[in-house]
Amino acid sequence: MLRMRALGEADRIVTFFSRERGKQSAVARGARKIQSKFGARLDFFSRVTLMLHVGKSLDVITAVQTVKSIWEELVDPDRFAAASYVAESIDTLCEPDLAVPELYDALCEFQIALARRVDRDALLAAMDLRLLSALGFAPEFESCARCGAALGRRPLKGGRAHLSPQACGLLCDKCARELRADPKAAAAAGGLFSVSALEFARLRALRETPLEAIEPQGKHGQLHRVTQAFVEYQMGRRSRALAVAGPQAKLARSMSRKG
């Protein structure tokens, strides 16, 4: 379940992502009533089996069976923020009725990994890379995305790798210097990120790392700030989920420490 919004006095419109049909929206009649027979099973970020009745504009949910719910884990502000960000990214970037089986599999992996003690920053970075790859926006990490220079000493001159969301990947040192010298070009490039050779190697490794195999401790630095920029460039805007959930999560952690 990616998103839910109210409809009328008692109904809900539920947006979900399925293996067979990709992103879909359907109406859950009476789901907001206390006596609803399946309203409680339509949890945010839960995995369910749905039975649908074909409607004129939107299908109608007639039965729900829970496959996996992590609602108890989502009480944690950081996990809720992470789930909200991934749900928002998929909802924004995916077209309705377009099946993307590899993204569905990644989403199921992410749900399981989120309920475990894995490094949140690395998990989100890996999920961003899976999402971008599944939708055909995978960043170029093997050669300069601007001039085509092969990965080697040139792109990693000085032990740094330069990444551009607009160019969709790695920039060699020459292209990075050209962008920095032209403020307008740099602004149009959607920002320029400089990461260490070690961080870049970890980014490349995260493309193939199973989400459940990510380490529990934070050994990846701040890689999600980079992959998030690539996702937000494709979205055409900043993430609203993190803009809202981030400050709330910090407040909740502060209150918890004081308590």
Side-chain angles (χ1 to χ4, degrees):
M1 295 294 170
L2 301 179
R3 180 163 58 103
M4 290 176 283
R5 57 192 188 276
L7 176 66
E9 295 183 358
D11 303 337
R12 276 199 178 104
I13 296 179
V14 179
T15 300
F16 56 92
F17 193 82
S18 71
R19 174 187 286 276
E20 296 81 10
R21 299 175 59 185
K23 187 178 76 170
Q24 295 287 311
S25 292
V27 177
R29 301 290 186 196
R32 292 160 58 203
K33 293 182 178 179
I34 297 176
Q35 65 271 29
S36 173
K37 61 182 179 180
F38 54 71
R41 299 175 189 169
L42 296 172
D43 291 335
F44 169 66
F45 223 70
S46 62
R47 201 186 323 165
V48 299
T49 299
L50 297 178
M51 184 175 291
L52 302 174
H53 174 75
V54 179
K56 292 183 179 179
S57 56
L58 289 173
D59 292 347
V60 178
I61 298 173
T62 58
V64 182
Q65 182 176 355
T66 301
V67 176
K68 183 175 180 58
S69 174
I70 60 168
W71 183 247
E72 292 183 0
E73 284 77 11
L74 292 182
V75 174
D76 177 80
D78 285 329
R79 291 179 181 178
F80 184 80
S84 298
Y85 166 75
V86 170
E88 178 193 17
S89 300
I90 293 175
D91 188 21
T92 303
L93 292 176
C94 291
E95 296 292 333
D97 292 306
L98 179 62
V100 190
E102 58 269 37
L103 181 54
Y104 177 84
D105 292 340
L107 188 56
C108 292
E109 282 187 61
F110 180 83
Q111 185 197 41
I112 295 172
L114 191 63
R116 299 180 179 178
R117 297 295 178 182
V118 300
D119 179 38
R120 175 178 172 270
D121 185 86
L123 177 61
L124 285 174
M127 187 61 196
D128 282 345
L129 294 174
R130 298 284 185 88
L131 169 65
L132 293 168
S133 177
L135 298 181
F137 304 130
E140 173 58 64
F141 287 160
E142 311 304 326
S143 59
C144 178
R146 193 164 180 252
C147 71
L151 175 61
R153 293 184 178 180
R154 249 183 100 203
L156 297 183
K157 185 177 180 181
R160 308 291 296 180
H162 311 289
L163 301 168
S164 165
Q166 188 275 339
C168 198
L170 177 72
L171 292 181
C172 67
D173 187 62
K174 178 182 177 182
C175 289
R177 280 190 283 105
E178 289 177 353
L179 280 180
R180 288 197 181 97
D182 186 347
K184 291 184 179 180
L192 189 62
F193 293 86
S194 177
V195 298
S196 69
L198 180 58
E199 289 174 323
F200 183 58
R202 287 171 174 165
L203 267 179
R204 298 177 74 197
L206 283 176
R207 294 179 299 179
E208 306 297 333
T209 302
L211 301 186
E212 297 177 57
I214 292 173
E215 301 93 336
Q217 301 298 325
K219 299 178 180 179
H220 293 80
Q222 298 296 317
L223 298 184
H224 181 237
R225 67 183 175 85
V226 179
T227 60
Q228 180 184 340
F230 280 79
V231 171
E232 289 178 337
Y233 179 79
Q234 297 300 331
M235 291 170 61
R237 59 174 174 80
R238 299 294 301 273
S239 167
R240 295 168 184 161
L242 290 184
V244 174
Q248 290 180 341
K250 291 180 180 178
L251 177 61
R253 288 194 299 272
S254 176
M255 295 293 290
S256 176
R257 286 194 294 268
K258 290 180 181 178

